[in-house]
Amino acid sequence: MLLIARFTVTEPAPFTIRAHRALELLLAQRGCLRGLLVRSTESSETWVLTVEFASVSAYRKSMSPFEVREHVIPFLAEADVSETAAYEVVLEADPTAVRRHTSLLAADASTVRLGEAGGPAEPR
């Protein structure tokens, strides 16, 4: 599971301090594998935080502790929300092989919107 959060940053120093704290808190959680904070080489105000989790379950559990909800969730809430942020791994590659992962998405995942966990309010 990969979390990708895009930010527009006008003051890098306080932003990187907050990102550092967010990464510390997330990486202290079981199943959080690694994180990167990167800045665009083409636009100095464009930054991306990526955090890799062992599974969707590990991602969800990592977001539960109080300190994470207190510091990380508000930080991530400042990210650009025009694009999705959570992705499942489909292919994983290293120099020795390319591995395919089984999708964890439900067969009807694209038919139910956020807030419609029991199903759509009206048939589509």
Side-chain angles (χ1 to χ4, degrees):
M1 157 76 218
L2 185 63
L3 171 70
I4 301 173
R6 293 168 179 82
F7 296 88
T8 300
V9 178
T10 56
E11 296 183 36
F15 175 78
T16 55
I17 290 169
R18 292 179 66 216
H20 185 273
R21 180 70 177 139
L23 286 170
E24 283 180 331
L25 289 168
L26 288 172
L27 287 162
Q29 307 308 311
R30 174 186 247 164
C32 186
L33 305 176
R34 69 182 185 138
L36 293 169
L37 178 65
V38 297
R39 178 172 40 189
S40 171
T41 57
E42 298 167 0
S43 169
S44 63
E45 291 185 349
T46 303
W47 294 65
V48 175
L49 176 76
T50 64
V51 185
E52 185 178 351
F53 298 89
S55 65
V56 172
S57 176
Y59 162 71
R60 290 181 177 152
K61 288 177 183 176
S62 292
M63 295 297 172
S64 296
F66 179 76
E67 274 195 299
V68 171
R69 290 180 305 184
E70 182 181 28
H71 298 285
V72 178
I73 302 297
F75 175 72
L76 292 174
E78 295 173 18
D80 176 7
V81 294
S82 65
E83 296 182 38
T84 58
Y87 297 85
E88 70 173 346
V89 177
V90 177
L91 297 175
E92 178 182 3
D94 63 35
T96 63
V98 176
R99 289 170 292 288
R100 179 176 299 277
H101 290 257
T102 302
S103 176
L104 300 176
L105 292 177
D108 66 348
S110 62
T111 66
V112 179
R113 295 187 192 125
L114 188 62
E116 298 178 339
E122 297 177 22
R124 290 186 218 151

